[in-house]
Amino acid sequence: MEVMREPFANVESGRRVNPETLAIRSVTARRLLRGGELEGSNPGAHLEEGHLEGERLERYVHERVLTTTLDKAVAWARSNSFFPATFGLACCAIEMMSIVAARVDVARFGFEAFRASPRQADLLVLSGRVSIKMAPIVRRIYDQMLEPKWTISMGACCSSMGVFNNYALVPADKFMPIDVHVPGCPPRPEALMHGVLKLRKMVQQDPDLSWRERYGALGTEEAPGSAHDERGARNGSDESSAHGRPVGSGALSGSSGRGGSGRA
Amino acid sequence: MSAKSAYRQMEESITLAPVEEQLADWGGGREREELLTLNMGPHHPATHGVLRLLVTLQGEVVRDIKPVIGYVHTGIEKTAEDKSYWKVIPVIERMDYLSYYFNAMAFCSAVEAIAEVEVPKRAQYLRVIHLELNRIMSHLVWLGTSALDLGAISMFWYCFREREQILDLFEMSSGQRMHTRYFQVGGVIEDIPRGFAEKLEAFLRVMPNRADQYNALLHSNEIVLQRLRGTCPLDAQTLLDLGVSGPLLRAAGNPWDLRKASPYCSYGDFDFKIPVGTVGDNYDRFAVRLAEIYESVKIITSALEGLPEGPHITTDRKVALPPRHELATSMEALIHHFKLVTEGMRVPPGEYYAAIESPRGELGCFVRSDGSSKPARVHMRDPSFVNLQALAAMAEGSYIADLIATLAMLDPILGGIDR
Ligand code: SF4
């Protein structure tokens, strides 16, 4: 469809565009769509294009029409408007806050709308160390987030227990799926930015390659109503496995799979 | 408590009597006495980390608070026992993650005291410069996030702009933005590079102006003032009884500051004032920290001016690594280097408690040595942990909205509390 943009008022002369011309244009635009003949007065030369044929028509369409699949358009929109959950764990959280600040302004990538409720967020940045006491809560927050959702594990601690590497910590991969790991202790804001852009690229290019495929967890979607019950009946699985639990996860996630009605 | 502001009076003048009359018909007014337990956290944007508060409410009034901690327990003290002295520093630094220089300083001072290591004057001055920069940085993060809790979002951006400048300086002297591991037993790991002093001077020139701007911005904001003035005060004696130190205690009028009370690390050389409050309400806590930024700038300025020449780390080869060029010429240096890197320094048996003034209060480090190259016990007295005790005493009987402001002004760092 052709989009015509013209100022409503001529800036130099201050004269407004005649509303009649606009009306005529909308009529002709509709005709162009229908491929109908133009009739009556000819208000502008560009309306001749309604009669284009052959190669000229091809070029005309090529120059003006953008085609895409709905999936791609959705992925593009999603990847440019992440809603991260406001969730800081330790030192890395301070660096996570600084990517929202002026120097590496993450708002350039539509990333700055931090949401306090996991229900409204689609990205969880695990910023810091996850202790054994915290892990079920992190998992519950993750479970409360609505699909589609992504996670970034920021810093050495929640990827590999970092400098501590002791009894108190658990790496995030042990109890939830992670899309992007950002190394560093703490990662510079630029590094986190790089991770965000990687995730953005991933969402744009392989929107289907989500954690379920990588973790072999297809069929665990939390579908409302029947789909979920059906599957439960079909393969006789128990309740807990239907709640988005990655295959092979430990006891930790099992205990938190019930999450859903907790605080938001 | 000072005279109630007009806003508070207006708030209290609202009467619910007509509603209660109606309620009496149904439940005999029991709603008034009914208590509600509210769970705040550990995932809550206003708890400054992963703190969990069990708040008992009567209507909108806070009756009881039980903090539940341990959600970022990292086992730092235990891990420290398992590492040689110089490898403990990075682990200890990650404890209270807004004052990493202070953590390292407390640990290094304790070890230096046991091992009787003399710290050169230049190293002490460099330490003071970095400690005070860190104090400003910590207060900036506190100011930005607290203002965020009070609903003033622009402060966050201004504060983080200045924070970036400080982190650039840290990066220049040590190579890292956070957790720099700059302090070393016996001094600092490297001298400041060329250009650092100029950059620091430039920062010192802008910082007071910026602090003026924060002052102007917040002091002309009626909402901030009304949410802070006269809310949740606590007198100095109660605070002392609870073990509270730092800006919270000074806000109540007690000028207790370890930098003055027992000067360590050449703090006696500098001329600075200790800002104190009068009533000890949230406003005083806020104002004291803001005023401390100016004092820190003053200390850094005079430390930079009077920066003495000399070594940046002790020349005791049993403690500090020999300079790189000596390795090529001296066999002895090579042996010391090898011993230090493989085994670490040995510290004679003994124990010591070193306390310094961190941005949040008295930060102490207790180290016991059994003569080996690993500490037998490292215990940190973290100010956030002790200060958190005062939260219930401060906020009981106030509104739940004031609880958020009080928690922000308390400035707890959960990494320090849970360790
Ligand atoms: S990775 Fe480093 S900076 Fe991040 S939480 Fe762990 S210790 Fe702190």
Side-chain angles (χ1 to χ4, degrees):
Chain A
M1 193 50 228
E2 185 186 18
V3 180
M4 280 183 280
R5 291 212 185 111
E6 205 157 287
F8 270 81
N10 191 330
V11 187
E12 277 138 47
S13 63
R15 194 171 52 84
R16 285 181 61 83
V17 173
N18 184 7
E20 235 170 76
T21 347
L22 288 177
I24 294 168
R25 275 189 200 161
S26 77
V27 170
T28 37
R30 246 176 272 142
R31 290 227 177 96
L32 274 170
L33 254 185
R34 273 194 247 112
E37 292 286 308
L38 278 179
E39 56 189 75
S41 65
N42 190 351
H46 53 278
L47 294 179
E48 296 283 359
E49 288 154 356
H51 305 291
L52 291 180
E53 270 171 14
E55 200 186 310
R56 284 182 67 205
L57 179 65
E58 287 285 311
R59 212 181 69 225
Y60 180 83
V61 171
H62 190 75
E63 280 168 3
R64 284 165 180 79
V65 178
L66 185 76
T67 55
T68 179
T69 62
L70 188 59
D71 277 357
K72 272 196 188 141
V74 168
W76 174 82
R78 269 179 190 157
S79 65
N80 282 301
S81 62
F82 284 122
F83 278 55
T86 314
F87 184 55
L89 281 165
C91 345
C92 285
I94 312 287
E95 288 292 67
M96 181 177 76
M97 287 196 291
S98 66
I99 68 162
V100 192
R103 185 176 287 181
V104 273
D105 180 12
V106 84
R108 291 176 292 163
F109 303 101
F111 190 90
E112 79 289 2
F114 275 76
R115 292 290 139 191
S117 162
R119 295 281 185 212
Q120 300 169 352
D122 61 0
L123 173 67
L124 186 64
V125 182
L126 274 182
S127 52
R129 40 207 193 225
V130 187
S131 69
I132 298 227
K133 189 171 179 178
M134 194 64 196
I137 294 150
V138 175
R139 176 69 210 207
R140 176 179 277 204
I141 290 167
Y142 177 76
D143 284 341
Q144 284 178 355
M145 286 164 56
L146 300 182
E147 303 259 359
K149 53 192 172 186
W150 296 275
T151 47
I152 292 180
S153 127
M154 176 186 183
C157 278
C158 64
S159 303
S160 66
M161 307 201 282
V163 291
F164 305 108
N165 200 6
N166 60 12
Y167 66 91
L169 302 183
V170 260
D173 296 77
K174 285 253 164 96
F175 59 88
M176 62 187 277
I178 300 286
D179 289 298
V180 175
H181 294 267
V182 180
C185 183
R188 301 176 58 91
E190 291 91 330
L192 181 59
M193 199 71 164
H194 185 68
V196 167
L197 295 186
K198 280 261 181 230
L199 183 68
R200 180 163 162 258
K201 208 166 169 190
M202 192 190 100
V203 174
Q204 263 173 19
Q205 292 184 343
D206 308 294
D208 297 331
L209 192 67
S210 65
W211 66 269
R212 286 187 208 283
E213 267 165 44
R214 284 183 291 118
Y215 285 74
L218 281 177
T220 58
E221 290 87 355
E222 270 182 90
S226 57
H228 159 251
D229 302 336
E230 253 173 46
R231 199 187 53 252
R234 196 168 55 237
N235 51 22
S237 67
D238 64 342
E239 265 291 295
S240 67
S241 74
H243 279 283
R245 189 171 95 183
V247 167
S249 64
L252 271 170
S253 63
S255 64
S256 59
R258 299 187 301 273
S261 60
R263 44 209 126 62
Chain B
M1 194 172 166
S2 65
K4 285 195 180 112
S5 70
Y7 175 74
R8 293 278 160 209
Q9 279 171 2
M10 193 179 72
E11 212 173 43
E12 279 164 20
S13 72
I14 295 171
T15 165
L16 290 175
V19 184
E20 268 153 27
E21 258 172 43
Q22 287 178 3
L23 280 178
D25 298 343
W26 301 328
R30 255 184 291 117
E31 283 77 4
R32 234 185 150 198
E33 276 91 60
E34 204 171 291
L35 294 178
L36 171 80
T37 304
L38 186 74
N39 181 45
M40 250 179 86
H43 168 222
H44 189 281
T47 52
H48 287 232
V50 281
L51 174 65
R52 180 173 169 205
L53 295 174
L54 290 173
V55 189
T56 308
L57 293 173
Q58 185 179 24
E60 244 192 295
V61 179
V62 176
R63 288 293 172 221
D64 188 27
I65 300 173
K66 279 201 185 66
V68 183
I69 59 170
Y71 288 100
V72 266
H73 174 66
T74 321
I76 290 180
E77 287 177 2
K78 192 70 193 163
T79 308
E81 290 168 20
D82 210 33
K83 295 189 179 287
S84 52
Y85 282 93
W86 62 303
K87 288 182 183 169
V88 171
I89 301 171
V91 181
I92 286 283
E93 264 185 342
R94 281 156 175 78
M95 204 183 70
D96 180 343
Y97 41 79
L98 278 186
S99 54
Y100 27 93
Y101 280 103
F102 291 91
N103 299 332
M105 178 69 198
F107 177 74
C108 289
S109 335
V111 177
E112 280 153 10
I114 303 174
E116 288 168 3
V117 177
E118 187 75 21
V119 180
K121 204 71 178 162
R122 186 177 175 86
Q124 293 191 6
Y125 273 55
L126 287 178
R127 280 182 178 183
V128 167
I129 289 174
H130 284 90
L131 287 173
E132 292 307 316
L133 275 176
N134 192 342
R135 191 185 307 275
I136 299 177
M137 191 279 271
S138 169
H139 284 350
L140 285 176
V141 174
W142 158 79
L143 187 60
T145 51
S146 308
L148 213 55
D149 287 349
L150 299 180
I153 193 167
S154 50
M155 273 319 284
F156 173 78
W157 285 303
Y158 291 124
C159 291
F160 269 66
R161 175 185 61 186
E162 269 68 78
R163 174 179 177 268
E164 290 287 337
Q165 276 188 312
I166 297 178
L167 291 196
D168 281 351
L169 286 165
F170 288 170
E171 202 178 348
M172 212 168 166
S173 65
S174 66
Q176 263 266 60
R177 285 158 57 90
M178 287 171 75
H179 310 321
T180 51
R181 204 199 180 284
Y182 186 61
F183 293 176
Q184 181 83 337
V185 178
V188 296
I189 194 115
E190 256 181 8
D191 211 337
I192 45 172
R194 208 179 299 150
F196 182 87
E198 289 76 39
K199 212 168 168 187
L200 180 56
E201 271 166 12
F203 170 74
L204 293 175
R205 271 196 302 279
V206 300
M207 192 59 222
N209 301 339
R210 297 280 161 82
D212 288 346
Q213 288 174 8
Y214 307 154
N215 256 324
L217 203 63
L218 290 172
H219 275 94
S220 54
N221 188 331
E222 190 60 23
I223 300 174
V224 170
L225 292 182
Q226 287 192 349
R227 287 199 65 179
L228 296 181
R229 279 227 173 101
T231 52
C232 304
L234 207 56
D235 62 296
Q237 191 52 49
T238 320
L239 287 171
L240 270 182
D241 294 347
L242 287 166
V244 175
S245 52
L248 294 178
L249 184 60
R250 293 197 283 274
N254 188 337
W256 175 254
D257 189 322
L258 285 170
R259 289 175 294 175
K260 281 268 196 231
S262 65
Y264 53 91
C265 195
S266 300
Y267 265 110
D269 297 3
F270 308 113
D271 181 29
F272 62 99
K273 296 196 184 71
I274 296 171
V276 287
T278 48
V279 252
D281 59 355
N282 277 340
Y283 175 77
D284 279 349
R285 292 167 198 147
F286 156 78
V288 160
R289 286 204 181 90
L290 212 51
E292 275 183 13
I293 292 181
Y294 295 96
E295 297 306 316
S296 293
V297 170
K298 243 196 266 170
I299 298 175
I300 303 170
T301 314
S302 51
L304 191 63
E305 269 168 22
L307 190 63
E309 291 301 319
H312 61 273
I313 193 161
T314 173
T315 42
D316 185 349
R317 293 280 178 265
K318 293 262 183 291
V319 174
L321 289 175
R324 196 80 208 163
H325 64 86
E326 263 183 36
L327 294 187
T329 51
S330 151
M331 188 63 204
E332 211 179 327
L334 202 59
I335 293 169
H336 282 313
H337 187 276
F338 179 76
K339 278 297 262 184
L340 274 178
V341 171
T342 50
E343 192 196 348
M345 60 185 278
R346 275 177 188 264
V347 175
E351 55 184 47
Y352 194 79
Y353 173 79
I356 59 169
E357 185 72 26
S358 96
R360 274 159 275 282
E362 179 183 333
L363 173 69
C365 182
F366 170 81
V367 177
R368 189 164 77 227
S369 157
D370 54 4
S372 73
S373 64
K374 288 174 183 170
R377 175 84 172 103
V378 178
H379 174 71
M380 303 294 281
R381 182 231 187 252
D382 192 87
S384 312
F385 178 68
V386 185
N387 293 357
L388 189 65
Q389 293 188 94
L391 179 64
M394 283 172 185
E396 262 166 34
S398 65
Y399 290 107
I400 186 160
D402 292 341
L403 168 66
I404 302 292
T406 310
L407 191 61
M409 293 303 137
L410 197 75
D411 191 20
I413 293 297
L414 271 292
I417 293 177
D418 295 340
R419 300 195 276 281

